[in-house]
Amino acid sequence: MKVVICGAGQVGFSIARYLSAESNDVTVIDQSPDLIGKVNESLDVQAIVGHASHPDVLESAGVADADMIIAVTFADEVNMVACQIAHSIFNVPTKIARIRQQSYLEPMWADLFSRDHMPIDVIISPELEVARAISRRMAVPGAFDMIPLADDKVRVIGIRCGEDCPVINTTLRQLTGLFPDLNISIVAIVRGEDAFVPNSSDEMFAGDEVYFIADTEHVGRALATFGYEERQEASRRITIIGGGNIGLNLARFIQDMENVTGRIIESDSARARRIVSTLHDTQVTHGDALDTEILEETNIQNADTVVAVSNDDETNILASLLAKRFGVERTIALVNRDTYTPLITTLGIDVLVNPRAITVSTILQHIRRGRIRSVHSLRDGFAEVIEAEALDTSPLVGAPIAEVSFPSDVIIGAVVRDGEVIIARATTVIESGDRVILLSAAHSVKKVERMFSVRLEFF
């Protein structure tokens, strides 16, 4: 597949890294010689310094015979024009654009991106996707990640093992016997700086971060097995620090939840006034979230969850730590810089949200081939959680999973058949039409795509 990527920032670089690692033909365009230099030094792709919306630059990047253009520069208008030119002049089949400005995304202007006007096939709004991801995490107590799949019949849960976790120091093959109610599939373990796909002889240790796949109806029971109290409802009192686009979208999601109240702390007075006029059911406080008097004024100690989503990583981290000091049970911090990631759990912050990783996952599900319905990247790309539809032509169909030849770093976690969730075991037989939920290490994703491809010649 030939792909032209406009923008060599964090998202563009990450997408280029993913696609080049899978032997795709990738060209990256950016105005910054420094960013293009980094791409040239780090990735096996072509890289061009130039304006991504100029026809001559796009032509020199080979867009005329590209299968896809992904426009993720910092300017919405550049992304939009690049896609327009790719369609009108070069007839590129698939056009993906990142759009940040929320006014472009209002339902009343939806026709703007139709084929007859500005033909963009996929619009990615990072702020909206991040807010949606945070709202999902808030719904599951103790989880640092939650991914709904198969119309939310299946969930992938990321959980941190504490010292008193009942399932630690036990091999995975022994779990079913020791915990018969634990009807889950453990698909990934993160231990310190290392992330790996486990086998049946691996154990979980205190401090590990574990990803498991479970029937949504059984998630509460699984959480209890890991030592987390089951709750029927999301947190009732949520304080949002930062009233930018992410905070605003998150507050809108909270307003739609039953029995949940939200409050925003925003440092910019003009922005705070705009939020007040926009959100009628959300309390808004103008002030510095690092000022203890402001925190006391907002009764931060009574909040169940504090979500720090300002534009500054350091503010988000420090505000989360202050909230913990006030006794807040759960803190969620938005952090852009990867260098902070190893510090988060050590500092005591419960959930880290990486907007780049969320945006990349959203884009990936529109890139993957075969009958791939959904894709979510884990841990900066070490693996992907994939939901795919099994076809008659798939080598997975018709034999027990134990007899199917597929990479050792691929784990099938669940199968959804006629609305019923089946947690995959060695004896499970996949049938045509099943939705298959699996985890694949990054370097095996192309093989997974081929397993779910329509065309026989892929094999």
Side-chain angles (χ1 to χ4, degrees):
M1 182 168 61
K2 184 169 184 177
V3 182
V4 174
I5 300 173
C6 302
Q10 289 186 342
V11 172
F13 183 92
S14 296
I15 290 293
R17 185 181 61 190
Y18 271 93
L19 296 180
S20 63
E22 297 169 3
S23 301
N24 292 290
D25 182 355
V26 179
T27 302
V28 181
I29 306 169
D30 199 283
Q31 290 188 88
S32 168
D34 291 339
L35 290 177
I36 290 298
K38 179 184 175 183
V39 170
N40 277 322
E41 291 172 4
S42 308
L43 306 177
D44 183 20
V45 303
Q46 294 181 319
I48 296 173
V49 177
H51 200 288
S53 62
H54 289 178
D56 57 330
V57 175
L58 288 170
E59 183 179 41
S60 65
V63 78
D65 57 351
D67 299 291
M68 179 182 298
I69 184 171
I70 303 173
V72 289
T73 73
F74 291 108
D76 290 351
E77 291 74 19
V78 171
N79 297 337
M80 294 158 65
V81 172
C83 288
Q84 178 73 71
I85 291 171
H87 173 81
S88 301
I89 299 178
F90 299 107
N91 200 29
V92 176
T94 304
K95 301 157 287 290
I96 299 175
R98 178 174 63 181
I99 305 295
R100 279 197 159 99
Q101 179 52 247
Q102 299 300 294
S103 63
Y104 286 126
L105 306 175
E106 292 291 339
M108 68 181 71
W109 315 123
D111 197 43
L112 172 65
F113 301 109
S114 69
R115 192 167 185 84
D116 293 333
H117 296 110
M118 190 169 290
I120 301 175
D121 300 294
V122 181
I123 298 290
I124 305 296
S125 169
E127 289 82 2
L128 187 59
E129 295 297 335
V130 170
R132 186 176 287 118
I134 293 172
S135 68
R136 292 198 303 261
R137 286 162 168 80
M138 289 191 301
V140 182
F144 62 81
D145 203 356
M146 192 280 273
I147 302 167
L149 297 167
D151 302 321
D152 201 22
K153 289 183 174 62
V154 175
R155 290 183 174 181
V156 180
I157 305 292
I159 207 82
R160 192 169 291 115
C161 294
E163 294 285 348
D164 56 351
C165 175
V167 297
I168 61 174
N169 304 320
T170 304
T171 62
L172 300 191
R173 71 164 62 94
Q174 294 175 308
L175 287 179
T176 303
L178 294 173
F179 302 93
D181 290 337
L182 190 62
N183 193 24
I184 66 173
S185 179
I186 294 173
V187 294
I189 297 175
V190 181
R191 183 169 297 150
E193 298 295 309
D194 298 322
F196 60 94
V197 178
N199 59 47
S200 60
S201 62
D202 283 315
E203 300 178 40
M204 293 175 288
F205 299 129
D208 284 355
E209 294 182 352
V210 176
Y211 288 89
F212 66 82
I213 294 174
D215 184 329
T216 297
E217 293 183 357
H218 299 162
V219 165
R221 189 182 310 162
L223 291 171
T225 306
F226 278 89
Y228 290 91
E229 179 186 355
E230 183 177 357
R231 295 180 184 173
Q232 298 300 320
E233 297 179 350
S235 300
R236 295 181 181 275
R237 295 174 299 275
I238 299 170
T239 297
I240 302 169
I241 293 171
N245 287 332
I246 293 175
L248 186 62
N249 281 312
L250 180 58
R252 285 176 173 147
F253 286 133
I254 290 172
Q255 286 188 159
D256 292 335
M257 298 177 184
E258 291 186 8
N259 302 318
V260 179
T261 59
R263 178 192 290 272
I264 293 178
I265 301 175
E266 169 56 43
S267 59
D268 182 89
S269 58
R271 177 72 183 176
R273 286 194 296 272
R274 285 197 297 272
I275 296 170
V276 169
S277 64
T278 303
L279 301 175
H280 303 295
D281 296 327
T282 301
Q283 300 178 61
V284 180
T285 299
H286 168 234
D288 182 358
L290 301 182
D291 185 337
T292 56
E293 291 185 3
I294 292 293
L295 296 180
E296 289 173 352
E297 178 187 326
T298 59
N299 295 315
I300 194 77
Q301 66 275 9
N302 292 325
D304 298 293
T305 302
V306 167
V307 187
V309 289
S310 77
N311 293 325
D312 183 75
D313 286 357
E314 289 79 8
T315 296
N316 294 337
I317 292 170
L318 292 173
S320 298
L321 294 176
L322 277 174
K324 278 291 188 183
R325 187 177 176 184
F326 273 90
V328 176
E329 181 180 350
R330 195 178 191 203
T331 56
I332 300 173
L334 182 80
V335 178
N336 288 277
R337 295 179 62 178
D338 291 334
T339 51
Y340 289 135
T341 302
L343 301 175
I344 296 301
T345 54
T346 304
L347 292 172
I349 297 170
D350 299 292
V351 180
L352 167 68
V353 176
N354 185 321
R356 171 179 52 81
I358 292 169
T359 305
V360 168
S361 288
T362 305
I363 292 172
L364 278 177
Q365 59 189 317
H366 299 288
I367 294 175
R368 292 290 173 229
R369 295 188 167 184
R371 296 301 289 267
I372 306 295
R373 289 175 172 266
S374 184
V375 175
H376 296 268
S377 174
L378 300 184
R379 287 290 172 172
D380 202 27
F382 114 85
E384 293 179 18
V385 173
I386 296 173
E387 175 191 342
E389 182 181 349
L391 302 174
D392 288 331
T393 54
S394 172
L396 295 172
V397 170
I401 288 174
E403 297 178 11
V404 178
S405 176
F406 56 86
S408 60
D409 51 9
V410 174
I411 295 181
I412 296 178
V415 175
V416 180
R417 180 180 303 150
D418 298 326
E420 179 187 356
V421 178
I422 303 166
I423 297 300
R425 304 301 181 204
T427 56
T428 302
V429 177
I430 294 173
E431 299 178 2
S432 178
D434 286 351
R435 289 201 199 183
V436 180
I437 314 298
L438 59 87
L439 179 135
S440 171
H443 59 268
S444 295
V445 168
K446 295 298 287 185
K447 296 176 182 177
V448 171
E449 285 185 352
R450 290 195 291 270
M451 286 181 173
F452 291 95
S453 174
V454 177
R455 298 191 295 273
L456 289 171
E457 60 264 32
F458 269 88
F459 307 107

